[in-house]
Amino acid sequence: TGGWLNTSPATITLSRTDTTAGVAAPYYTTDGLDPTTGSTPYTEPFTIASEGATILKYFSVDAVGNTEVIKTKTISIDTVDPSIYSIDLTLPGSQTAVKVGDTITIVTEVDDFTSDVASVTVDLSPLGGASNFALEWDELEMLYIGEFTITDDGIINGDKTHVVTATDNAGNSTTDESA
């Protein structure tokens, strides 16, 4: 998703056509450098397994020596779930329980070192809220934060479990619970 793959390795197939002279040889690099006729010749599909972004550059030479303009493609792989480091629910004042009209603050520290975090949600259905309440990135605090006001007077007394889900730009996700 978003240009990221969440499986590894990625199989790369380069297609080549030249309706006039025919393709003599395609060449490629995966280190970001421009390929030359001294670079790896493409003969069959190959794989890229490195986490992160790999820059693939390639071109072909036809049977009479004409060269194609170098093409560039970024292959981005992230197979690792984001990490949730902390989840804090803050109740108003020094309260130990909530009631209708109270606003709670949810703060969580989440990171993904490869494709970055796409979304962080918390299941507030135990408090009468949405099951996928979105937390917003706070640039100043460097945390995901959300406020929720209790409006459901049918909440059953007792401890509630709140599940936080973090999803990265490759579609990998992880969950953590806070009581």
mmCIF file of all heavy atoms in Angstrom, residues 5 7 10 15 25-26 34 61 71 73 78 93 98 131 144 148 176:
data_model
loop_
_atom_site.group_PDB
_atom_site.id
_atom_site.type_symbol
_atom_site.label_atom_id
_atom_site.label_comp_id
_atom_site.label_asym_id
_atom_site.label_seq_id
_atom_site.Cartn_x
_atom_site.Cartn_y
_atom_site.Cartn_z
ATOM 1 N N LEU A 5 5.742 -2.489 -0.190
ATOM 2 C CA LEU A 5 5.422 -3.907 -0.170
ATOM 3 C C LEU A 5 5.633 -4.412 1.251
ATOM 4 O O LEU A 5 6.586 -3.999 1.918
ATOM 5 C CB LEU A 5 6.342 -4.679 -1.126
ATOM 6 C CG LEU A 5 6.352 -4.215 -2.579
ATOM 7 C CD1 LEU A 5 7.459 -4.924 -3.353
ATOM 8 C CD2 LEU A 5 5.001 -4.479 -3.211
ATOM 9 N N THR A 7 5.824 -7.777 1.884
ATOM 10 C CA THR A 7 6.364 -9.134 1.755
ATOM 11 C C THR A 7 7.746 -9.038 1.126
ATOM 12 O O THR A 7 8.047 -8.106 0.380
ATOM 13 C CB THR A 7 5.469 -10.033 0.874
ATOM 14 O OG1 THR A 7 5.357 -9.442 -0.411
ATOM 15 C CG2 THR A 7 4.092 -10.221 1.481
ATOM 16 N N ALA A 10 10.862 -9.230 -3.140
ATOM 17 C CA ALA A 10 10.072 -8.768 -4.276
ATOM 18 C C ALA A 10 10.728 -9.312 -5.541
ATOM 19 O O ALA A 10 11.940 -9.178 -5.721
ATOM 20 C CB ALA A 10 10.043 -7.241 -4.317
ATOM 21 N N SER A 15 10.550 -6.104 -18.697
ATOM 22 C CA SER A 15 10.126 -6.491 -20.049
ATOM 23 C C SER A 15 10.887 -5.635 -21.051
ATOM 24 O O SER A 15 11.247 -4.496 -20.765
ATOM 25 C CB SER A 15 8.620 -6.327 -20.210
ATOM 26 O OG SER A 15 8.268 -4.981 -20.026
ATOM 27 N N ALA A 25 20.513 -6.409 -25.220
ATOM 28 C CA ALA A 25 20.751 -6.676 -23.804
ATOM 29 C C ALA A 25 20.213 -5.542 -22.934
ATOM 30 O O ALA A 25 20.471 -4.381 -23.208
ATOM 31 C CB ALA A 25 22.240 -6.851 -23.547
ATOM 32 N N PRO A 26 19.487 -5.891 -21.872
ATOM 33 C CA PRO A 26 19.133 -4.908 -20.851
ATOM 34 C C PRO A 26 20.144 -5.005 -19.696
ATOM 35 O O PRO A 26 20.697 -6.074 -19.435
ATOM 36 C CB PRO A 26 17.741 -5.345 -20.396
ATOM 37 C CG PRO A 26 17.604 -6.768 -20.820
ATOM 38 C CD PRO A 26 18.666 -7.072 -21.820
ATOM 39 N N ASP A 34 23.733 4.903 -11.966
ATOM 40 C CA ASP A 34 23.282 4.695 -13.343
ATOM 41 C C ASP A 34 23.950 3.450 -13.921
ATOM 42 O O ASP A 34 25.172 3.282 -13.804
ATOM 43 C CB ASP A 34 23.646 5.910 -14.216
ATOM 44 C CG ASP A 34 22.756 7.106 -13.933
ATOM 45 O OD1 ASP A 34 21.729 6.943 -13.239
ATOM 46 O OD2 ASP A 34 23.097 8.203 -14.410
ATOM 47 N N VAL A 61 19.930 -1.945 -24.625
ATOM 48 C CA VAL A 61 20.647 -1.622 -25.856
ATOM 49 C C VAL A 61 20.064 -2.527 -26.931
ATOM 50 O O VAL A 61 19.872 -3.729 -26.697
ATOM 51 C CB VAL A 61 22.166 -1.900 -25.698
ATOM 52 C CG1 VAL A 61 22.902 -1.612 -27.002
ATOM 53 C CG2 VAL A 61 22.746 -1.073 -24.557
ATOM 54 N N LYS A 71 15.835 4.220 -16.971
ATOM 55 C CA LYS A 71 14.589 4.305 -16.202
ATOM 56 C C LYS A 71 14.905 4.017 -14.737
ATOM 57 O O LYS A 71 15.824 3.255 -14.429
ATOM 58 C CB LYS A 71 13.570 3.308 -16.740
ATOM 59 C CG LYS A 71 13.093 3.629 -18.144
ATOM 60 C CD LYS A 71 12.052 2.630 -18.594
ATOM 61 C CE LYS A 71 11.451 3.009 -19.918
ATOM 62 N NZ LYS A 71 12.348 2.981 -21.029
ATOM 63 N N LYS A 73 13.146 3.069 -10.837
ATOM 64 C CA LYS A 73 11.996 2.585 -10.061
ATOM 65 C C LYS A 73 12.484 2.345 -8.636
ATOM 66 O O LYS A 73 13.518 1.725 -8.416
ATOM 67 C CB LYS A 73 11.467 1.285 -10.679
ATOM 68 C CG LYS A 73 10.366 0.614 -9.921
ATOM 69 C CD LYS A 73 9.041 1.265 -10.197
ATOM 70 C CE LYS A 73 7.937 0.464 -9.526
ATOM 71 N NZ LYS A 73 6.728 1.170 -9.370
ATOM 72 N N ASP A 78 8.799 -3.188 3.505
ATOM 73 C CA ASP A 78 8.707 -3.092 4.969
ATOM 74 C C ASP A 78 7.888 -4.286 5.444
ATOM 75 O O ASP A 78 6.687 -4.340 5.227
ATOM 76 C CB ASP A 78 8.036 -1.782 5.385
ATOM 77 C CG ASP A 78 7.892 -1.638 6.901
ATOM 78 O OD1 ASP A 78 8.307 -2.554 7.648
ATOM 79 O OD2 ASP A 78 7.361 -0.607 7.340
ATOM 80 N N GLY A 93 -9.116 15.617 36.060
ATOM 81 C CA GLY A 93 -8.714 15.875 37.448
ATOM 82 C C GLY A 93 -8.043 14.669 38.063
ATOM 83 O O GLY A 93 -7.181 14.043 37.472
ATOM 84 N N VAL A 98 -14.924 7.303 35.055
ATOM 85 C CA VAL A 98 -15.522 8.300 34.175
ATOM 86 C C VAL A 98 -17.038 8.244 34.255
ATOM 87 O O VAL A 98 -17.618 7.231 34.643
ATOM 88 C CB VAL A 98 -15.087 8.094 32.706
ATOM 89 C CG1 VAL A 98 -13.619 8.358 32.542
ATOM 90 C CG2 VAL A 98 -15.459 6.716 32.194
ATOM 91 N N SER A 131 -15.172 2.046 17.376
ATOM 92 C CA SER A 131 -14.206 0.955 17.530
ATOM 93 C C SER A 131 -12.876 1.279 16.851
ATOM 94 O O SER A 131 -11.896 0.574 17.045
ATOM 95 C CB SER A 131 -14.773 -0.345 16.956
ATOM 96 O OG SER A 131 -15.023 -0.183 15.573
ATOM 97 N N TYR A 144 1.005 10.375 19.491
ATOM 98 C CA TYR A 144 -0.348 10.329 18.938
ATOM 99 C C TYR A 144 -1.312 10.608 20.077
ATOM 100 O O TYR A 144 -1.240 9.964 21.136
ATOM 101 C CB TYR A 144 -0.630 8.967 18.286
ATOM 102 C CG TYR A 144 0.096 8.832 16.986
ATOM 103 C CD1 TYR A 144 1.407 8.384 16.938
ATOM 104 C CD2 TYR A 144 -0.529 9.204 15.794
ATOM 105 C CE1 TYR A 144 2.084 8.289 15.726
ATOM 106 C CE2 TYR A 144 0.145 9.109 14.584
ATOM 107 C CZ TYR A 144 1.454 8.657 14.566
ATOM 108 O OH TYR A 144 2.114 8.573 13.368
ATOM 109 N N PHE A 148 -11.657 12.219 23.888
ATOM 110 C CA PHE A 148 -12.960 11.619 23.677
ATOM 111 C C PHE A 148 -13.856 11.987 24.844
ATOM 112 O O PHE A 148 -13.477 11.835 26.006
ATOM 113 C CB PHE A 148 -12.832 10.094 23.577
ATOM 114 C CG PHE A 148 -14.149 9.385 23.470
ATOM 115 C CD1 PHE A 148 -14.894 9.438 22.309
ATOM 116 C CD2 PHE A 148 -14.654 8.676 24.553
ATOM 117 C CE1 PHE A 148 -16.117 8.795 22.219
ATOM 118 C CE2 PHE A 148 -15.876 8.024 24.466
ATOM 119 C CZ PHE A 148 -16.609 8.085 23.293
ATOM 120 N N ASP A 176 -2.027 -3.351 20.851
ATOM 121 C CA ASP A 176 -1.614 -3.403 22.247
ATOM 122 C C ASP A 176 -2.830 -3.021 23.072
ATOM 123 O O ASP A 176 -3.687 -2.275 22.611
ATOM 124 C CB ASP A 176 -0.458 -2.444 22.511
ATOM 125 C CG ASP A 176 0.308 -2.765 23.784
ATOM 126 O OD1 ASP A 176 -0.169 -3.623 24.582
ATOM 127 O OD2 ASP A 176 1.377 -2.173 23.997
#
